[in-house]
Amino acid sequence: MGKRKFSGLELTLIVLFSLVLIITCVLIGLLASGQPGVKTTEFTPKCPKILIAERIDCIPDQVATKSTCTRRGCCWSPESDTSVPWCFFPSNHGYKVDGSTRSTQAGFETTLTRLPSPSLFGNDINTVLLTGEYQTPNRFRFKITDPKTQRFEVPHEHVRSFTGSAASNLNYKVDVKQNPFGIVVTRVSNGRVLFDTTIGPLQYADQFLQLSIKLPSSNIYGVGEHVHKQYRHDVNWKTWPMFSRDIGPSGAMHNLYGVQTFFLCLEDSTGASFGVFLMNSNAMEFVVQPAPAVTYRTTGGILDFYMFLGNTPEQVVQEYLQLVGLPALPSYWSLGFQLSRWNYGSLDEVKRVVERNRAIGLPYDAQITDIDYMEEKKDFTYDKVKFRDLPTFAAYMHDYGQKYIIILDPAISIHNLTDGSPYESYIRGESKKVWVNESDGVTALIGEVWPGETVFPDFTNPDCTSWWVDECKLFYDVVPYDGIWIDMNEVSNFVKGSKNGCAQNDLNYPPFTPSILDKLMFSKTLCMDAVQKWGKHYDVHSLYGYSMAISTQKVIEALFPGKRSFLISRSTYIGSGKHTGHWLGDNAATWDHLKWAIPGMLDFNLFGIPYIGADICGFFDNTTEELCRRWMQVGAFYPFSRNHNCEGFIPQDPAVFGPDSLLVNTSKYYLNIRYTLLPYLYTLFYKAHTQGDTVVRPVLHEFYSDEVTWSVDRQFLWGPGLLISPVLDPGVDTIQAYIPDAVWYEYDTGAKIPVRKQWTSMNLPADKLGLHLRGGYIYPTQQPANTTVASRKNPMGLIIALDDSNAASGDLFWDDGESTGTVENKAYVYYEFTVSSNVLRMNAINSNYADPNNLKFEEIKILGVLQEITAVTVSPNNAGENSSLNVTYYPLEKVAHITGLQLGLGKSYTVTWT
């Protein structure tokens, strides 16, 4: 067959069709590469010589390739080290200042315009507004918003719009760099640059916001919640995701239960420090690199940064907490030791555990039950077979001076009770429409948690809070309890998103997903397009635990009017410490988890949640006698001290190891020391509550002038004075401990130790932990007992640890231990103690509380007394109250023990010795 010839018209059509095909392919390629459209001009990245340590990653979302790098308009320079960004931002990405900087009442504002450059993830916002506020001499805030469209902002209880005027006498100076835009903050006193965003470009798209900050030092602490194997950050290219998630601690860099965006930077050995936090609740990541620099990348909301300057690390924490919310003052009893486990199996078994631990004389204040007390794991029910006597259990605990704490989860079953009757808590919630809804805003989202198919209360809805309070009250009327433990509030869901799956949209599948566990936004939680009162779940997900804690605090106010009670939450957010404590989650019975608990506790003291601890002896896995013994020793010094265990593993309450076992004896010994020092610990919590001090304190906060302390994280302090040096490894009875630059005395003997400002080998046999008192401090004490109800009736005392100058000081806060408002109403006793030249002054600054137990200081121990005391005089000495005093001197230890004193609590005295 001969070849057919095309006509002229056909040829023209073929050419036109080919051109259309080529143009279509080009457009598809441009769209696929994230370009906002056809480029009218070719973009050329400016790639000056950027130090490897200062590269800001241009491809944070995938493995870097040259072609992706070129499409994004970034600089390509592969290295042998894969942790280093091979593709990094040039100097001509970002924004520039457009026009002048305008003065405002609080500071300044200026408009920023995006520089022409390829888009990373699309939907860039071309014009943004920068607002700067000089809020206090030590606090600077700047936020970057979209002037045309209201974006999500965290509806925080404390961190609100600033209505004041610019502060004067600023300790910082702010410079706004023009092109490309950057903010540079310097410390006025020495001109040091503290905060410099010119290291990388501002990125501000609808679902991708980024800012990098160059720092003056690598001493970076904080940001969470994660397992930090060391307290000081490793700056070697680490990416820490933040998005609240139900996942237990492990060696991986997973995002855990809560979101805390605050970090502290110690500048140098003068103690000068500053802190930074980003007020944002979207899924994000925090990158640390060796420049040193950090980068915040988030998936929504606004960029709203606060910076706090201090002369010491402790002052920075105080500045931060005065803004976001000071920690709650715990009830005195909640500072006692607590026992718990998941699945005792029956109330009879709970009572057996309680009885055997009472029988050994263990100091022990509270018993907790996990979800096994419920009927089919439904909130506000109890198992009427296995836990049939639960309604009388609190009274049984109270008879011994102990308390009972229950667990509550957020998820509410949609199914009937076992006898077929309606589950009234669900019915009432359904009638009030208090659940998190699907994307239509009206249909309750159904997921699955412990009780099976569930709905999820929307604690951001005031109607939900009212319903929650009512349900807790109705249950309390049946089963009385003394405190509440809230769990699973990340919020956790055992199916991905919902029973119906999640829609394919930019909320459930955003253009950029941070390096969160599973790299899937709705993994083990709700769909991101679910609707809550505060907004889309995409924006408010990490606020779930925060809002639940606020609602549960309302429960406590309703159930225990005028009383503090007890509340711990697994999920936390910025400022959660005003309402709740926290524990470090579902750890395991491993030596690593024992070690990692210390950086975890130090982090949460930075975050303003000082009521913190880890599950003693480990939650998952079978513990061993040695591990549990060493854990009970250090756990006696966790602010929240609880032994807790998972179902399916051997029991690990102390008594189970045998009434006269080494573990029981050492547990009792250190818990008795804890209870002896509770007045000191309680005073530390008062200072946290009133001014934002840390309770468990990093050694560096007290000894920052010594660079060795900057990385010490296998030891910790209670406040300024008690140094705890535990054994954290198996088969070990000698540890390397750092003794900071001060006089230190052994707690056990009162003897001064001969080392300071050096590492030392500390011999700690099976029943011992390192415990040292710092010279220069006075520690209030009380004779211990097996409960705080009993110990609070006992005589009080002082331990005076003299420093190099034979001086010391301390204080004591004392109230009824349970009422709310005692601080505000000044219904307390507050002492300042000072010693110099062999004179102790006990100055009662405030005495508006009369303790019903007619407490008296009956003994004083003085450590570091170089010669025997021959005479003691007390003034005023009312009617010879102190005529029976006795002084014992221990010449080897250089300790004097004065007994037989009768110094009434709340009165001022002077005690002189010669």
Side-chain angles (χ1 to χ4, degrees), residues 676-692:
T676 300
L677 291 172
L678 280 183
Y680 174 68
L681 179 63
Y682 192 54
T683 302
L684 294 175
F685 269 102
Y686 162 75
K687 290 175 156 179
H689 175 65
T690 53
Q691 59 196 40

Side-chain angles (χ1 to χ4, degrees), residues 29-45:
L30 284 168
L31 287 167
S33 68
Q35 307 293 354
V38 180
K39 290 185 287 185
T40 50
T41 56
E42 194 62 38
F43 177 81
T44 305

Side-chain angles (χ1 to χ4, degrees), residues 43-94:
F43 177 81
T44 305
K46 291 182 181 170
C47 297
K49 185 70 179 156
I50 295 174
L51 294 173
I52 287 177
E54 297 192 0
R55 292 179 177 184
I56 303 298
D57 195 354
C58 186
I59 311 181
D61 54 316
Q62 56 185 276
V63 175
T65 63
K66 189 174 184 180
S67 58
T68 304
C69 193
T70 302
R71 278 202 307 276
R72 292 187 179 185
C74 288
C75 308
W76 177 253
S77 178
E79 304 291 333
S80 57
D81 183 352
T82 54
S83 62
V84 170
W86 291 7
C87 177
F88 50 96
F89 281 103
S91 59
N92 53 337
H93 266 255

Side-chain angles (χ1 to χ4, degrees), residues 137-446:
N138 286 324
R139 184 169 84 222
F140 172 60
R141 176 208 195 180
F142 70 93
K143 67 175 187 171
I144 303 173
T145 54
D146 180 350
K148 297 194 186 75
T149 307
Q150 177 64 44
R151 296 176 60 78
F152 177 77
E153 297 188 32
V154 176
H156 197 272
E157 199 183 4
H158 280 276
V159 188
R160 299 278 191 177
S161 295
F162 184 69
T163 54
S165 299
S168 50
N169 302 317
L170 302 179
N171 291 317
Y172 53 87
K173 175 172 168 284
V174 178
D175 289 307
V176 178
K177 301 297 182 186
Q178 302 284 309
N179 189 4
F181 155 74
I183 280 191
V184 178
V185 183
T186 51
R187 186 180 281 277
V188 167
S189 61
N190 58 11
R192 178 188 286 126
V193 175
L194 304 183
F195 182 106
D196 183 355
T197 73
T198 63
I199 189 172
L202 167 67
Q203 296 287 310
Y204 207 107
D206 186 33
Q207 291 181 273
F208 182 77
L209 300 85
Q210 173 172 303
L211 196 69
S212 302
I213 307 154
K214 190 174 183 192
L215 305 174
S217 115
S218 296
N219 299 314
I220 303 165
Y221 308 91
V223 171
E225 182 176 2
H226 312 104
V227 169
H228 291 149
K229 297 179 184 179
Q230 57 188 58
Y231 179 51
R232 180 168 65 175
H233 272 275
D234 176 358
V235 296
N236 190 32
W237 304 104
K238 301 295 182 195
T239 299
W240 297 98
M242 285 182 275
F243 194 54
S244 59
R245 168 71 191 232
D246 172 4
I247 182 70
S250 70
M253 294 171 62
H254 297 324
N255 47 304
L256 301 187
Y257 310 103
V259 169
Q260 302 289 340
T261 65
F262 173 80
F263 75 85
L264 182 145
C265 180
L266 172 69
E267 297 161 40
D268 58 28
S269 58
T270 67
S273 306
F274 65 96
V276 173
F277 93 98
L278 170 62
M279 180 50 85
N280 182 291
S281 57
N282 289 84
M284 68 175 93
E285 54 192 29
F286 177 78
V287 184
V288 192
Q289 67 187 76
V294 299
T295 296
Y296 287 92
R297 288 187 199 111
T298 184
T299 55
I302 62 168
L303 293 179
D304 190 358
F305 282 95
Y306 288 80
M307 186 173 177
F308 310 85
L309 271 69
N311 296 323
T312 64
E314 198 71 3
Q315 189 190 335
V316 171
V317 178
Q318 293 168 351
E319 296 268 355
Y320 172 57
L321 298 183
Q322 277 153 19
L323 176 71
V324 302
L326 290 160
L329 181 65
S331 54
Y332 199 88
W333 67 261
S334 70
L335 299 179
F337 178 68
Q338 303 174 25
L339 276 181
S340 177
R341 82 162 296 162
W342 176 20
N343 209 349
Y344 281 107
S346 70
L347 188 61
D348 290 341
E349 177 60 20
V350 176
K351 286 184 175 178
R352 274 193 289 273
V353 171
V354 171
E355 294 290 347
R356 71 184 178 221
N357 284 282
R358 286 176 179 175
I360 60 169
L362 186 77
Y364 160 38
D365 259 85
Q367 178 63 48
I368 303 175
T369 53
D370 207 318
I371 55 175
D372 44 300
Y373 78 81
M374 302 174 184
E375 178 187 300
E376 294 190 320
K377 306 184 174 81
K378 291 180 172 74
D379 277 355
F380 314 119
T381 68
Y382 71 100
D383 186 323
K384 293 185 177 59
V385 178
K386 294 176 180 170
F387 284 81
R388 64 184 172 278
D389 293 331
L390 199 61
T392 61
F393 183 67
Y396 158 84
M397 294 296 291
H398 296 169
D399 286 346
Y400 193 79
Q402 293 171 308
K403 302 291 190 288
Y404 173 46
I405 297 164
I406 64 165
I407 193 173
L408 289 172
D409 292 337
I412 298 294
S413 170
I414 63 173
H415 296 300
N416 289 343
L417 299 176
T418 44
D419 63 4
S421 63
Y423 177 34
E424 294 292 349
S425 298
Y426 168 67
I427 301 294
R428 288 186 288 265
E430 179 66 17
S431 71
K432 293 176 180 171
K433 301 295 176 197
V434 299
W435 317 127
V436 177
N437 287 321
E438 292 185 359
S439 59
D440 64 5
V442 291
T443 308
L445 183 146
I446 308 288

Side-chain angles (χ1 to χ4, degrees), residues 456-759:
F456 300 88
D458 176 14
F459 293 103
T460 72
N461 178 352
D463 292 340
C464 178
T465 299
S466 303
W467 163 83
W468 183 248
V469 170
D470 289 345
E471 296 306 318
C472 289
K473 278 165 87 172
L474 287 166
F475 186 58
Y476 179 85
D477 290 342
V478 178
V479 176
Y481 49 88
D482 299 296
I484 303 173
W485 158 26
I486 53 177
D487 195 17
M488 305 294 290
N489 53 352
E490 291 72 33
V491 58
S492 180
N493 180 8
F494 295 168
V495 296
K496 289 178 180 174
S498 83
K499 296 291 277 190
N500 299 323
C502 298
Q504 290 192 17
N505 56 40
D506 279 347
L507 296 178
N508 293 317
Y509 300 92
F512 168 75
T513 298
S515 52
I516 56 174
L517 180 59
D518 299 334
K519 288 286 279 189
L520 182 70
M521 296 288 285
F522 52 83
S523 180
K524 211 166 184 187
T525 191
L526 313 184
C527 298
M528 294 294 114
D529 57 0
V531 178
Q532 296 186 236
K533 190 80 171 178
W534 282 357
K536 294 281 191 189
H537 197 70
Y538 181 85
D539 294 315
V540 304
H541 167 82
S542 292
L543 302 174
Y544 195 94
Y546 172 72
S547 61
M548 186 181 182
I550 292 172
S551 295
T552 310
Q553 181 56 39
K554 297 269 195 277
V555 171
I556 284 164
E557 290 163 12
L559 286 184
F560 312 106
K563 298 285 189 280
R564 278 173 243 161
S565 181
F566 168 96
L567 177 60
I568 54 166
S569 173
R570 193 167 73 178
S571 186
T572 65
Y573 185 69
I574 293 157
S576 283
K578 179 186 173 182
H579 302 290
T580 183
H582 177 62
W583 84 107
L584 293 169
D586 295 341
N587 65 1
T590 72
W591 292 90
D592 275 342
H593 285 216
L594 171 63
K595 290 183 195 76
W596 299 339
I598 295 175
M601 288 197 301
L602 297 176
D603 278 337
F604 273 88
N605 273 267
L606 289 188
F607 305 150
I609 309 179
Y611 189 65
I612 179 73
D615 285 345
I616 295 169
C617 301
F619 178 67
F620 288 119
D621 303 337
N622 288 322
T623 196
T624 64
E625 185 278 337
E626 183 191 13
L627 174 63
C628 195
R629 168 166 39 85
R630 291 303 194 185
W631 214 323
M632 283 296 298
Q633 289 168 0
V634 67
F637 300 94
Y638 291 175
F640 169 51
S641 183
R642 175 184 76 162
N643 177 318
H644 181 47
N645 192 3
C646 183
E647 69 170 357
F649 300 108
I650 58 170
Q652 60 189 36
D653 59 282
V656 82
F657 291 90
D660 199 34
S661 61
L662 188 61
L663 184 143
V664 160
N665 289 333
T666 192
S667 298
K668 285 168 60 177
Y669 181 78
Y670 286 108
L671 284 171
N672 273 309
I673 292 174
R674 176 195 183 88
Y675 278 54
T676 300
L677 291 172
L678 280 183
Y680 174 68
L681 179 63
Y682 192 54
T683 302
L684 294 175
F685 269 102
Y686 162 75
K687 290 175 156 179
H689 175 65
T690 53
Q691 59 196 40
D693 290 25
T694 58
V695 173
V696 160
R697 191 168 298 174
V699 176
L700 78 98
H701 277 219
E702 292 293 317
F703 299 96
Y704 43 73
S705 60
D706 178 0
E707 293 189 22
V708 177
T709 68
W710 298 354
S711 59
V712 169
D713 56 14
R714 293 174 66 113
Q715 299 162 269
F716 59 94
L717 292 160
W718 265 13
L722 182 72
L723 179 65
I724 295 115
S725 306
V727 174
L728 302 172
D729 292 294
V732 162
D733 57 14
T734 302
I735 66 165
Q736 289 302 302
Y738 191 71
I739 305 301
D741 190 10
V743 176
W744 294 93
Y745 301 91
E746 288 179 357
Y747 184 90
D748 291 348
T749 64
K752 180 177 169 180
I753 62 170
V755 292
R756 65 193 279 176
K757 203 179 180 186
Q758 66 187 74
W759 290 98

